[in-house]
Amino acid sequence: REMERHRQAALEAVRIAEQKRRAEAEAEAERAKRRRIEKERKETERSDRGKYIDFNLHESDYVQQNFGKTVTSMAMGGTATVMLYEDGDWMYTAGLPKLLHNKLKGRAKHHPSPVYVAVGS
């Protein structure tokens, strides 16, 4: 009787371990699926907004070096160019209006990242 109880306990432990392994595998598959969906969503957004640049502007080499598929918004006005990136970062060239510079630079870390920028009239 005691041996049978140990045998049943061992079988139960194996069953529980197998359930746990399956649950972890399913959770990892779900995480991978979410990562794939997020990657596809970002690629669709990038495609919709365009991934290429053609221009004749002030500091064009600097702008071209910093332009890429993660740029979400780009504005030009006068001699200034400003770009916002998917990760919340931003870059600008000389001539950026002081109020816009202060608005971008003075953002608190806990505030949402800017998603759109416009310069000019």
Side-chain angles (χ1 to χ4, degrees), residues 57 73-84 90-104 115-121:
L57 52 92
S73 182
M74 179 176 179
M76 294 164 279
T79 60
T81 299
V82 62
M83 289 186 269
L84 305 178
W90 57 285
M91 102 39 164
Y92 66 96
T93 63
L96 187 65
K98 190 169 197 75
L99 288 175
L100 177 55
H101 179 269
N102 291 343
K103 188 82 154 170
L104 290 168
V115 293
Y116 181 79
V117 64
V119 178
S121 56

Side-chain angles (χ1 to χ4, degrees), residues 24-98:
E24 288 171 354
E26 288 172 5
E28 179 54 35
E30 183 62 29
R31 286 189 295 272
K33 180 181 175 183
R34 278 192 238 126
R35 286 190 301 267
R36 182 183 47 78
I37 290 169
E38 178 63 15
K39 183 179 179 183
E40 289 171 359
R41 184 191 63 76
K42 280 189 175 189
E43 282 302 318
T44 298
E45 284 180 358
R46 290 172 182 165
S47 180
D48 289 350
R49 71 175 177 249
K51 298 188 270 188
Y52 305 100
I53 184 171
D54 186 23
F55 54 85
N56 183 11
L57 52 92
H58 186 71
E59 297 186 53
S60 61
D61 289 341
Y62 181 68
V63 172
Q64 189 168 14
Q65 289 168 1
N66 288 281
F67 184 83
K69 64 183 180 179
T70 62
V71 172
T72 59
S73 182
M74 179 176 179
M76 294 164 279
T79 60
T81 299
V82 62
M83 289 186 269
L84 305 178
Y85 298 92
E86 289 175 349
D87 65 2
D89 200 7
W90 57 285
M91 102 39 164
Y92 66 96
T93 63
L96 187 65
K98 190 169 197 75

